[in-house]
Amino acid sequence: MKLKFIIIAITMLSLFNGITTFAADSDIRFTKAYGKRYVYLRDVAKYYNMQCYVWKEKTVLWNRWHRLTFYHNKRNAEFDGVKVSLMFAPFNRGIQAYVSDKDFLLMLDPILRHYALNRHRMKLIMIDPGHGGKDIGGYGNRVKEKDLTLQLAKKLQTRLRRRGYMVLMTRSSNRTLSLKQRTELSKRLTPDIFISIHANIAGNKSVKGVETFCLAPTGTTSSNGGKASSKPEAGNKFDKNSAALAYEIQKGVLKRSQAADRGVKHSRFYVLKNASAPAILIEVGFLSNKTEARRLKTNAYQEKIIRGIENGIRNYHRKLIRK
Ligand SMILES: [Zn+2]
């Protein structure tokens, strides 16, 4: 099925009321499979001025600036060296390969093209240190998640203020705060972005690394499985910007910390579902992993994580103001 660009453009406009700056001569065809719409990766490549090569197990798109790897029938992809969990697995048929239109419109395009983002004010940042008070969160190798998240949040607050941002915290002491209270604070104080900080725990003690979540778009499952929800959540209004923010933060943190990359992922965490601004949740590492927990306790490593988050936020901000 071949479709003129104009039809896709109309779809984009109606779905995302954003600025569309498709080149008039770019045709992005789509096909239907598994009850969904998939776009041709070769057309996507052309649209971004990239080369495209379809192998048996993967498709690679590249140019001077970017390299995107899609693994056929797998949800994990790589955008410029950062793992990204797709909503649906791409697949190939002969020399053609396809990615779902949701992954194209809500992940790939906002990450690659700043025009795809909704412009917004970027002054007030809300930081949400996970857990607190009676709620310890995860505990491993003598580190309590609630303490670590607060330490990191305070350091991030100082850094961001130095950069001229106004920063609010959902909590700035060791106190109990429900998820509902957190989102209500955000609703009332209307930050421009919302950053929730957490640390992970796993049964398997060798598991380590950083992962950053944004809200799973409507009709898709979380990266860790579960059911697809067809009910739009408040946070789904910001899908494109949240994806770009999550990507920039994950990339920033990986660059600084050299931690293992667990990827940009989707979830339906409460604070993301009920977000009133572009929102992400970062899991900075595993307390259940001895080496990582030990590192996370040190000031030097905490600074790396914080600088990484800060760089991610600033890169996201730069995209918003780029002409
Ligand atoms: Zn947590």
Side-chain angles (χ1 to χ4, degrees):
M1 181 179 345
K2 187 167 174 174
L3 198 83
K4 273 284 166 211
F5 143 80
I6 188 79
I7 300 179
I8 293 276
I10 288 165
T11 315
M12 286 198 62
L13 280 170
S14 61
L15 279 174
F16 308 108
N17 63 51
I19 320 145
T20 51
T21 53
F22 275 83
D25 58 352
S26 66
D27 289 326
I28 296 183
R29 291 164 294 172
F30 71 83
T31 186
K32 283 235 165 128
Y34 315 111
K36 283 180 289 290
R37 256 164 55 155
Y38 287 80
V39 296
Y40 283 57
L41 274 172
R42 285 189 187 279
D43 296 352
V44 171
K46 218 180 280 168
Y47 170 61
Y48 292 125
N49 252 319
M50 290 170 125
Q51 307 287 317
C52 175
Y53 201 92
V54 180
W55 275 274
K56 204 175 155 200
E57 335 66 51
K58 65 182 180 183
T59 295
V60 181
L61 274 60
W62 78 96
N63 62 16
R64 255 175 74 194
W65 302 279
H66 299 291
R67 185 184 181 87
L68 316 172
T69 308
F70 298 88
Y71 299 95
H72 303 153
N73 310 308
K74 290 195 178 120
R75 280 177 69 176
N76 55 312
E78 279 155 33
F79 297 175
D80 295 338
V82 177
K83 281 188 190 155
V84 172
S85 171
L86 299 173
M87 293 165 243
F88 303 101
F91 63 94
N92 72 312
R93 280 175 192 157
I95 61 152
Q96 291 295 352
Y98 311 86
V99 70
S100 81
D101 64 344
K102 277 208 162 118
D103 282 305
F104 170 57
L105 292 167
L106 300 178
M107 286 296 279
L108 184 55
D109 202 39
I111 288 172
L112 245 63
R113 208 171 52 93
H114 65 279
Y115 286 118
L117 298 173
N118 291 312
R119 307 273 160 137
H120 61 77
R121 187 187 66 155
M122 190 59 193
K123 183 72 192 159
L124 182 58
I125 298 173
M126 183 169 268
I127 307 174
D128 173 44
H131 313 278
K134 276 185 277 180
D135 171 16
I136 292 167
Y139 178 77
N141 293 294
R142 280 184 268 164
V143 186
K144 288 180 190 155
E145 185 182 352
K146 67 167 186 178
D147 296 336
L148 177 65
T149 59
L150 185 59
Q151 278 172 7
L152 290 170
K154 282 184 173 168
K155 288 180 183 174
L156 181 60
Q157 180 181 38
T158 308
R159 283 211 151 266
L160 291 172
R161 280 187 173 157
R162 233 180 269 159
R163 293 286 177 193
Y165 293 105
M166 279 164 61
V167 186
L168 294 168
M169 310 254 275
T170 53
R171 68 175 177 102
S172 47
S173 63
N174 179 25
R175 68 189 190 92
T176 313
L177 196 67
S178 72
L179 295 173
K180 197 164 173 230
Q181 284 171 313
R182 292 167 203 261
T183 57
E184 265 161 17
L185 269 173
S186 174
K187 256 177 231 161
R188 203 170 67 229
L189 302 170
T190 63
D192 302 317
I193 57 168
F194 183 93
I195 311 285
S196 192
I197 302 178
H198 285 255
N200 252 322
I201 285 282
N204 178 349
K205 301 214 173 353
S206 67
V207 177
K208 59 179 180 176
V210 176
E211 54 194 12
T212 306
F213 291 91
C214 52
L215 178 62
T218 315
T220 71
T221 62
S222 298
S223 304
N224 301 328
K227 272 197 178 154
S229 166
S230 54
K231 182 180 147 235
E233 305 288 351
N236 284 127
K237 273 194 289 244
F238 313 102
D239 278 342
K240 288 197 289 181
N241 287 54
S242 297
L245 181 61
Y247 177 82
E248 291 302 337
I249 287 180
Q250 177 74 5
K251 193 176 187 176
V253 171
L254 292 178
K255 200 169 168 190
R256 287 278 174 177
S257 69
Q258 310 289 317
D261 180 11
R262 292 180 52 84
V264 177
K265 295 180 172 178
H266 292 107
S267 80
R268 289 203 165 76
F269 292 132
Y270 187 93
V271 292
L272 301 183
K273 270 201 311 205
N274 297 287
S276 46
I280 65 102
L281 186 149
I282 181 166
E283 298 272 6
V284 296
F286 281 78
L287 303 180
S288 42
N289 181 287
K290 213 179 222 169
T291 321
E292 203 157 58
R294 211 176 274 163
R295 218 177 264 167
L296 281 164
K297 270 192 279 193
T298 66
N299 184 54
Y301 192 71
Q302 287 186 1
E303 281 299 324
K304 287 181 182 172
I305 299 274
I306 290 314
R307 275 173 172 263
I309 298 177
E310 181 202 347
N311 287 344
I313 290 173
R314 291 177 68 209
N315 283 337
Y316 171 78
H317 189 168
R318 271 188 209 116
K319 284 184 166 183
L320 292 184
I321 56 179
R322 233 165 88 186
K323 292 267 156 46

